[in-house]
Amino acid sequence: MLVSLEWLKDYTDVNVDAKEFCDCMIMSGSNLETCEELGTGISGVKVGRIDKIEKHPDADKLVVCQVNLGAEGMLQIVTGATNIYEGAYVPVATDNSHIPGPLHGQPKVEGGVTITKGKLRGVESDGMLCGPQELGYDDKIAPMISKDGIWLFPGNWDEHLGEEITEALGLHDYRIDFEITPNRPDCLSMLGMAREAAATFDTKLHYPELECEKTDENASDYISVEVKSELCKRYTARVIKDVKIEQSPWWLQKRLMAAGMRPINNMVDITNFVMLEYGQPLHAFDIRSIAGNKIIVDTAKAGEKFTTLDGVERELFEDTLMINDAEKPIAVAGIMGGLDSEIVEDTNTVVIESATFLGANVRMSSKKLGLRTEASGRYEKGIDPNLCEAAADRVCKLIEMLGCGKVLNGCVDVYEYPEEAPTVCARVSRINKVLGTDISREQMVEYFHRLEMEVTGEGDDMFITPPTVRQDLLEEVDYVEEVARLYGYNNLPNTLPNVATTGEMSKSWTMRNLTRDILCGMGANEIQTFSFSNNKILDAVGIDEDSWERNFVEVINPMGEDTSAMRTILMPSMLEVLGRNYSRGVEKARAYEIGITFMKNIIDPNGLPDESRNLVIGAYGKDEDFFTLKGMIVTLLEKLAITDLKFVAESEYRTYHPGRCARIVAHDQFGAEVELGIMGEIHPDVCENFGIGGRAYGAELFFDLLVEISNKEIQYQQLPKHPSSSRDIAMVVDEDVLVGDMEEVIKEASNELLKNVKLFDVYRGEQVAEGKKSVAFSLTYRHDDRTLTDEEVDSAHKTIVDALTEKIGAVIR
């Protein structure tokens, strides 16, 4: 919000310099970006009147002007400007004058430009006529009549001929750019910032005059209003007759330019001025464009076409709120008027619209139409409906003051549900406790009165009702902040918390760090990939069309097809990394990633997606095989306190080789079997799709599940006092018998004497029949309280052998 300090003083009695003003406003909670001094770098530039214009004798595009500087006499100026005329008041840069620049059509020069007299095509020129840009004003705020030409001053300046323009026009000012947070839309106005300044400096706030003279006609005789949609909270219309379109007076133009807006003409400037003054957007319609002299506020028809004021035809949506007449739409509510309803030079009667529209709808319509304006930005943040009538009255008062129209009595006002501010109970003791202060109730009440709030109640309780413009004051803590602001943040005591706080990592973070340490210790490098996916990449890894992995969370506005959805698994990204390394000559690679995956919300498909972490491991190169990967996984899970693992053969998951793939199963904290993930050799076709020329291996585990079932609590056990006894057993079984199944049979057949089962050999060769394999285990027996006898060990061992023979058909080798 750009605030002119000179303009602000129209509403307050603040009498401090710019630095002190900025410092105090910051300490009362109004953060600012910049403070810029205006009117600097100009000297020797004076107010002049063009008395005579003649053609240049040797140049078709130049003219010779005789410029009157009052008591300083006449100057001859040669210029190529086309917007000047005899009798125009202009800024004249005299000999040896200085201007900020840049000169028209030239780059800006550091330190400005010095103007001296000289000759142009043989004719003496005693100086230069200046445009707004040459005096340091941005082209975007130059008055429309002076754009790309000489600055033409409005009104009569005969009394100031020959005066420095900085003095005559009062150009010296400070423009402060305040950073307004989204919860303070009331500060997007001069009155809002004046209210803050008055409260900060404990001065009185002066409101503008609104009362107009009575006439013999009423606004309701010319216009009627019907609101059909609840998206419009209030609609107020006033009518102006006998309108005269002309330049605004200089004081009005100066205010707009200081606020960063371009002066256009008196009607447009007045509505912009009041919008900046009150924060209430307004719009002026030529009544000739309103069919039936009736305004109807309603939503558009889907697919309906409408041409806005910028000349662009736009397709409307069924939830776009429109301002219509009896036959057609004439404006997009809260955003922009229609091309056919704008004010033109021969406009005689004007309808002033001052309304409040639902901010969320204005924002949605603005985005859909691709049209953002000053008005829409204000509506999006929230407008107080109680401002509508005052803002419309202020427009009428300014029109009356400038003599550019006749204001009709009254207004047409549709306001079905008047808005009231909520009354909140704030406790004196609570405010002091939060702030660490000892401020009296009387002092707090004074602070609230400065902010135009009503306070009732007795003792510790203060029942506070704010003005309706303060839509951010909803709870007690909001009033704590108000007291802190006016007391001064710099005056609050510095205290330390009276409790000891220690930070600690969550279990998930601890497990992630431990996993990184373990895998890095096993030679794997951590990678990080994008969270996007698509159907094409899942096709490359062999995922079935109806698989849960394709239950994508789709990106509404993707950068491309490759980033059209959020990933459900990490393996495709891992294979892309392995393929990229292989293509660049990296002979061996081990990598892992702990990343987030996204799934549609099962309970609420339109709600936020379910996010979970997975762990993916990938490897290729010399010495890498199924068992090295299995060893990495077993080691990792053991260090995460997840034991009693089972690897179940899997042949249907097409990402992996059908004969070299297994699902990893463990038991949760309740003893139920849970699947932790899948591992195996990557299918040759999948390797080819990702440009991997040899064998590759991968695994993907549900990391959040690992965190859930991991129990890192250390349980100490006494070292065994008695010796153990080991027996080796080699059994010949069919080739399709799984080692894991044999281990299950051994554990089921054993008693408490069996302490450990370890596989140490799998043999296929000449000494074993075709279709068979020899599997050898080492079994360890021990009793906790005594030394075992050979007979006890032999009996337990025989029971296991018999079980293997009976259930699996194993034969002792």
Side-chain angles (χ1 to χ4, degrees):
M1 174 69 188
L2 295 176
V3 173
S4 160
L5 188 56
E6 180 184 330
W7 187 2
L8 189 79
K9 290 180 179 179
D10 290 347
Y11 313 108
T12 65
D13 298 327
V14 174
N15 189 25
V16 296
D17 61 32
K19 184 181 185 305
E20 183 180 350
F21 177 81
C22 291
D23 291 342
C24 291
M25 291 297 285
I26 290 173
M27 286 302 164
S28 68
S30 298
N31 192 28
L32 60 89
E33 300 274 350
T34 58
C35 179
E36 177 187 3
E37 186 176 3
L38 304 180
T40 59
I42 303 174
S43 63
V45 182
K46 303 182 179 183
V47 177
R49 185 185 66 219
I50 300 176
D51 285 351
K52 188 176 182 180
I53 301 176
E54 297 176 325
K55 288 185 177 182
H56 192 288
D58 296 321
D60 294 335
K61 295 185 178 181
L62 298 178
V63 293
V64 181
C65 303
Q66 302 300 322
V67 182
N68 190 337
L69 294 185
E72 296 193 16
M74 301 291 293
L75 292 183
Q76 178 172 284
I77 307 290
V78 179
T79 181
T82 58
N83 67 325
I84 57 175
Y85 55 90
E86 292 182 356
Y89 296 92
V90 294
V92 184
T94 57
D95 187 31
N96 288 320
S97 60
H98 189 271
I99 60 176
L103 298 178
H104 184 71
Q106 297 183 21
K108 188 173 180 64
V109 178
E110 189 68 29
V113 180
T114 299
I115 304 299
T116 57
K117 63 181 180 180
K119 288 186 178 183
L120 286 177
R121 300 292 293 270
V123 176
E124 288 282 347
S125 182
D126 298 323
M128 184 182 80
L129 305 183
C130 300
Q133 299 88 339
E134 290 154 339
L135 295 175
Y137 288 87
D138 194 290
D139 180 58
K140 295 178 181 178
I141 65 172
M144 182 61 72
I145 195 172
S146 306
K147 185 176 181 294
D148 300 324
I150 301 303
W151 193 352
L152 305 179
F153 301 148
N156 188 307
W157 295 85
D158 284 344
E159 294 182 2
H160 301 280
L161 293 179
E163 286 186 26
E164 293 276 346
I165 65 165
T166 52
E167 299 298 326
L169 274 68
L171 297 182
H172 190 268
D173 191 8
Y174 288 91
R175 179 167 58 198
I176 305 167
D177 187 2
F178 284 98
E179 180 186 0
I180 308 300
T181 54
N183 67 320
R184 291 299 305 274
D186 59 297
C187 288
L188 290 173
S189 65
M190 291 300 301
L191 279 173
M193 292 310 303
R195 186 181 297 109
E196 291 293 299
T200 300
F201 292 94
D202 193 14
T203 62
K204 190 173 181 179
L205 179 64
H206 307 292
Y207 282 92
E209 187 178 352
L210 302 179
E211 190 68 28
C212 293
E213 294 181 4
K214 299 294 183 181
T215 60
D216 54 358
E217 293 182 282
N218 297 316
S220 57
D221 297 332
Y222 284 78
I223 196 73
S224 63
V225 177
E226 180 182 3
V227 177
K228 291 185 176 181
S229 174
E230 60 185 12
L231 299 175
C232 177
K233 294 182 180 180
R234 185 179 189 182
Y235 196 99
T236 301
R238 295 208 64 170
V239 179
I240 316 295
K241 286 184 63 178
D242 303 330
V243 170
K244 293 184 292 184
I245 306 298
E246 54 191 10
Q247 272 205 85
S248 300
W250 167 241
W251 68 265
L252 181 55
Q253 291 191 14
K254 182 170 68 170
R255 297 285 189 258
L256 293 177
M257 292 171 69
M261 298 192 79
R262 183 197 303 279
I264 307 295
N265 59 52
N266 51 3
M267 293 305 299
V268 175
D269 294 349
I270 287 172
T271 55
N272 285 338
F273 178 88
V274 175
M275 178 182 70
L276 294 171
E277 187 176 46
Y278 277 83
Q280 169 67 53
L282 301 115
H283 190 73
F285 297 102
D286 188 329
I287 201 169
R288 293 174 301 181
S289 66
I290 304 176
N293 284 21
K294 183 174 185 177
I295 288 176
I296 302 171
V297 185
D298 199 3
T299 51
K301 298 175 183 177
E304 188 176 5
K305 305 288 186 180
F306 181 69
T307 303
T308 46
L309 197 58
D310 56 1
V312 178
E313 184 180 71
R314 305 176 189 274
E315 183 175 335
L316 304 177
F317 301 86
E318 60 182 6
D319 55 356
T320 303
L321 189 64
M322 300 295 294
I323 310 300
N324 309 279
D325 60 21
E327 299 174 357
K328 63 187 183 303
I330 55 176
V332 183
I335 302 177
M336 185 177 283
L339 185 63
D340 297 332
S341 64
E342 67 175 329
I343 305 299
V344 293
E345 289 186 1
D346 63 345
T347 296
N348 179 266
T349 303
V350 169
V351 176
I352 302 296
E353 169 196 276
S354 180
T356 303
F357 307 110
L358 194 65
N361 178 263
V362 172
R363 176 173 173 77
M364 182 170 58
S365 298
S366 176
K367 291 189 70 175
K368 286 182 177 180
L369 297 173
L371 181 61
R372 185 172 177 82
T373 61
E374 180 79 21
S376 69
R378 291 172 181 272
Y379 278 119
E380 289 172 12
K381 295 176 177 64
I383 299 289
D384 176 18
N386 294 320
L387 289 176
C388 289
E389 187 173 4
D393 291 346
R394 178 60 170 163
V395 170
C396 294
K397 181 62 180 178
L398 289 173
I399 290 173
E400 183 180 89
M401 286 174 55
L402 301 185
C404 54
K406 175 184 176 183
V407 179
L408 303 192
N409 297 331
C411 66
V412 180
D413 189 10
V414 180
Y415 193 16
E416 187 172 357
Y417 302 106
E419 189 151 319
E420 297 180 358
T423 299
V424 175
C425 177
R427 296 161 291 174
V428 175
S429 58
R430 178 61 179 169
I431 294 174
N432 278 322
K433 183 177 181 181
V434 173
L435 299 180
T437 55
D438 189 22
I439 305 172
S440 67
R441 174 192 170 95
E442 291 72 22
Q443 186 65 54
M444 292 184 189
V445 170
E446 184 202 340
Y447 289 156
F448 294 134
H449 284 164
R450 286 195 212 172
L451 293 166
E452 300 185 324
M453 301 179 189
E454 297 178 4
V455 183
T456 59
E458 298 179 354
D460 195 45
D461 294 334
M462 297 182 291
F463 295 94
I464 310 170
T465 305
T468 52
V469 293
R470 289 298 304 274
Q471 300 177 14
D472 60 310
L473 300 177
L474 302 174
E475 300 177 6
E476 183 181 31
V477 68
D478 298 323
Y479 292 94
V480 175
E481 181 184 2
E482 296 303 297
V483 171
R485 291 196 308 116
L486 294 189
Y487 183 73
Y489 290 123
N490 55 322
N491 295 323
L492 295 176
N494 295 321
T495 57
L496 294 174
N498 57 6
V499 294
T501 59
T502 57
E504 61 180 32
M505 288 190 294
S506 65
K507 182 180 179 182
S508 177
W509 265 110
T510 303
M511 295 279 284
R512 273 180 264 170
N513 288 339
L514 180 57
T515 300
R516 291 185 177 103
D517 292 342
I518 296 168
L519 291 175
C520 287
M522 290 189 282
N525 295 301
E526 184 174 11
I527 64 170
Q528 188 170 15
T529 59
F530 291 117
S531 299
F532 299 113
S533 185
N534 56 80
N535 279 307
K536 185 178 177 181
I537 198 169
L538 291 193
D539 291 339
V541 295
I543 300 298
D544 294 333
E545 288 291 336
D546 58 349
S547 176
W548 62 267
E549 287 94 334
R550 294 185 186 268
N551 188 25
F552 287 130
V553 176
E554 296 180 352
V555 178
I556 295 175
N557 188 23
M559 294 180 288
E561 182 183 354
D562 292 344
T563 57
S564 60
M566 305 303 292
R567 64 187 178 188
T568 55
I569 55 175
L570 305 183
M571 185 56 71
S573 299
M574 172 59 73
L575 293 175
E576 283 187 326
V577 172
L578 295 183
R580 191 177 304 117
N581 279 269
Y582 186 88
S583 67
R584 295 179 182 177
V586 179
E587 296 179 354
K588 182 177 181 178
R590 273 188 185 180
Y592 73 93
E593 178 180 9
I594 303 173
I596 295 178
T597 61
F598 304 82
M599 293 290 294
K600 283 186 178 178
N601 193 315
I602 299 175
I603 299 175
D604 180 11
N606 296 321
L608 292 174
D610 293 324
E611 298 183 20
S612 59
R613 281 186 173 81
N614 282 11
L615 166 65
V616 63
I617 303 173
Y620 72 82
K622 185 180 179 182
D623 300 328
E624 300 290 354
D625 60 23
F626 179 92
F627 294 104
T628 57
L629 178 61
K630 180 181 176 183
M632 291 177 66
I633 293 172
V634 171
T635 302
L636 169 65
L637 296 182
E638 285 179 349
K639 289 184 180 294
L640 296 181
I642 301 173
T643 56
D644 196 21
L645 299 175
K646 184 166 65 173
F647 292 83
V648 180
E650 171 62 57
S651 60
E652 301 297 327
Y653 201 84
R654 295 194 296 141
T655 302
Y656 299 93
H657 192 294
R660 299 165 190 160
C661 175
R663 294 194 179 273
I664 308 166
V665 178
H667 292 88
D668 64 14
Q669 59 269 43
F670 306 107
E673 282 194 352
V674 290
E675 183 180 321
L676 302 183
I678 192 169
M679 62 154 292
E681 180 181 329
I682 305 299
H683 197 287
D685 292 344
V686 175
C687 286
E688 183 179 348
N689 291 337
F690 286 90
I692 304 173
R695 291 186 175 186
Y697 303 88
E700 184 158 355
L701 294 87
F702 304 118
F703 190 80
D704 287 345
L705 182 57
L706 302 185
V707 174
E708 183 180 341
I709 68 175
S710 171
N711 183 5
K712 292 289 290 178
E713 183 178 349
I714 298 175
Q715 295 182 349
Y716 293 95
Q717 294 181 341
Q718 187 177 6
L719 291 173
K721 297 180 180 179
H722 304 282
S724 61
S725 178
S726 297
R727 296 284 192 275
D728 292 342
I729 180 174
M731 308 291 288
V732 177
V733 296
D734 293 337
E735 181 65 48
D736 59 356
V737 173
L738 301 178
V739 173
D741 292 341
M742 296 180 70
E743 289 182 349
E744 286 292 318
V745 171
I746 293 172
K747 291 176 182 178
E748 289 174 3
S750 65
N751 55 25
E752 72 278 1
L753 300 182
L754 182 65
K755 300 301 182 182
N756 187 39
V757 179
K758 182 178 180 181
L759 172 72
F760 68 86
D761 184 50
V762 177
Y763 174 75
R764 300 174 182 85
E766 297 178 357
Q767 300 178 26
V768 178
E770 186 176 351
K772 300 287 186 175
K773 62 184 176 183
S774 173
V775 181
F777 295 96
S778 177
L779 309 182
T780 302
Y781 300 92
R782 185 177 60 248
H783 197 287
D784 294 334
D785 300 325
R786 56 186 173 82
T787 302
L788 291 173
T789 64
D790 289 341
E791 290 78 10
E792 289 175 310
V793 175
D794 290 342
S795 175
H797 194 68
K798 182 177 183 304
T799 301
I800 293 172
V801 173
D802 292 343
L804 289 170
T805 302
E806 179 183 344
K807 295 183 178 181
I808 296 181
V811 178
I812 295 179
R813 181 178 170 190

